[in-house]
Amino acid sequence: MTTHKPRRAMVGSAAAAFIQRDDAKVLLVHHAGTGHWVMPGGKTDDTPGGGETPRQCCDREAREETSVPVTVGRLLVVQWLPSGRNGRYEVNPFACHLFVFAATIRPQDHARIHVPDTELLGWGWWDPIEAPGVMDATNTRLLTAALRASAGTGPAPAYLEELPPYAPAGGDVA
């Protein structure tokens, strides 16, 4: 009789930058892959030997997605994302921890923001009250938690869990 050892779960990491101006508007980018507006960010570079930390990822992704220097500050939110569908992408086989850090862009650099044409459709400063109207439910929860943590009206860092969709008997995912 052969017994099989269970495989270890593969978990990735990602990071996003919560960037808010003095007038309280937040920077969002229009993601080409999902069609949604999100905070600048992306997956960690998991190269052999350890890759980058979530903070390093936040710094790199925010600079890549804005084309200006970004200063990464304190951790605001950690979110658990299960494997499964992600917007218009195919099934993501790995669960992910998403880290959101407070970040700043110098006011003199605001007019110089430019997003990469192949990855993003645009960018803009959004009123936090209006932003949920252009975001998906997961990113709306993430932005709300970052706003509260940044303002000191919620836990910092906040912890969120996105639960996998219900799988009925037979294994099909609804």
Side-chain angles (χ1 to χ4, degrees):
M1 179 170 135
T2 304
T3 59
H4 294 270
K5 185 177 179 180
R7 294 177 58 186
R8 293 182 63 115
M10 297 296 293
V11 177
S13 294
F18 173 77
I19 302 169
Q20 190 170 35
R21 291 191 314 203
D22 289 341
D23 66 0
K25 291 189 177 182
V26 294
L27 180 67
L28 299 179
V29 294
H30 194 183
H31 199 277
T34 65
H36 296 293
W37 288 83
V38 297
M39 289 178 275
K43 295 178 183 167
T44 56
D45 180 7
D46 295 327
T47 58
E52 64 187 352
T53 68
R55 181 179 298 277
Q56 290 168 329
C57 174
C58 181
D59 179 61
R60 177 184 54 78
E61 285 285 346
R63 282 184 290 108
E64 286 177 2
E65 293 190 357
T66 64
S67 301
V68 296
V70 175
T71 301
V72 177
R74 69 187 176 107
L75 178 63
L76 298 176
V77 184
V78 176
Q79 184 176 36
W80 168 254
L81 298 166
S83 60
R85 293 197 58 80
N86 181 4
R88 291 191 306 219
Y89 290 122
E90 294 302 315
V91 172
N92 179 5
F94 302 110
C96 179
H97 285 108
L98 173 60
F99 298 83
V100 178
F101 293 90
T104 56
I105 294 174
R106 298 178 314 172
Q108 60 266 36
D109 289 332
H110 289 180
R112 295 180 40 235
I113 294 172
H114 175 77
V115 297
D117 294 333
T118 57
E119 182 180 353
L120 301 171
L121 302 173
W123 66 276
W125 293 102
W126 287 84
D127 182 310
I129 302 298
E130 297 171 358
V134 297
M135 301 176 86
D136 65 359
T138 297
N139 281 290
T140 296
R141 285 182 64 224
L142 194 61
L143 178 64
T144 300
L147 283 162
R148 290 180 180 153
S150 177
T153 60
Y159 176 74
L160 303 176
E161 285 186 352
E162 180 81 11
L163 299 176
Y166 170 72
D172 294 333
V173 176

